[in-house]
Amino acid sequence: LLVLALLAGGAFAWTRWHGEPAVVARALDALADEVNAGTTDGSGLAARAAQLSQYFTDDVVIDLGPGTAEVRGRATVLDMLSRLQPRTSAFHLRLTDTGVTLGPDQRSADAVLTAEFIRRGGGEDSIDARELSIQLTKADGTWRIRHLAVVEAFR
């Protein structure tokens, strides 16, 4: 009976770790790790931005909420990332409370998570948290962000 319980627990853990929702969550964590790695030399900025842009589809749409224009297309994201990279080095991005729902086609997924931007320095860290809704698509075996939107907590 103990062996059966261990086998069942092992099978459950294996499917949770290797299931597509876990793969999607790890891809989002990898993006956060890339953002946090950063770079400060001039020649590395374009390369870093190009590396980060691989996490997005060609037709990605990013909606940061009221008062901002939608960011459309990987090329625009690439341009923004290359300009923002030096300024974001004072921040650390942490993704928490990630929930992933796989689409019926197994090639699309919706993720809801909290993105915490932690500003380092000044003796005490400050945290700005935002809820994000992310739609992803799987192409060529890789999950990429197709749509990202900030979720308004209060209206």
Side-chain angles (χ1 to χ4, degrees):
L1 191 59
L2 180 61
V3 171
L4 286 175
L6 286 174
L7 286 174
F12 176 76
W14 188 87
T15 56
R16 293 277 293 179
W17 179 256
H18 293 288
E20 284 301 312
V23 172
V24 171
R26 285 195 302 274
L28 293 170
D29 287 337
L31 172 60
D33 291 343
E34 288 284 345
V35 167
N36 291 331
T39 186
T40 56
D41 65 9
S43 63
L45 293 176
R48 169 64 71 200
Q51 196 170 14
L52 289 171
S53 75
Q54 297 305 307
Y55 288 90
F56 303 94
T57 62
D58 288 334
D59 60 348
V60 64
V61 175
I62 298 176
D63 180 5
L64 299 176
T68 63
E70 285 184 341
V71 178
R72 294 184 166 273
R74 187 189 304 186
T76 305
V77 171
L78 175 68
D79 184 49
M80 287 180 62
L81 291 173
S82 65
R83 286 187 276 143
L84 287 175
Q85 193 70 46
R87 292 179 217 133
T88 60
S89 62
F91 294 90
H92 177 80
L93 173 62
R94 180 172 55 205
L95 304 180
T96 62
D97 303 326
T98 303
V100 177
T101 304
L102 204 58
D105 62 358
Q106 304 289 305
R107 304 194 69 64
S108 63
D110 293 318
V112 178
L113 57 88
T114 302
E116 297 176 351
F117 300 93
I118 304 161
R119 183 175 182 87
R120 297 174 277 211
E124 193 172 306
D125 293 344
S126 65
I127 298 176
D128 181 22
R130 300 276 188 237
E131 295 296 318
L132 301 180
S133 172
I134 302 173
Q135 296 172 351
L136 301 101
T137 300
K138 186 176 185 180
D140 302 325
T142 303
W143 286 99
R144 290 189 174 87
I145 297 171
R146 180 171 49 94
H147 187 268
L148 182 147
V150 173
V151 177
E152 290 185 55
F154 303 103
R155 294 183 192 251

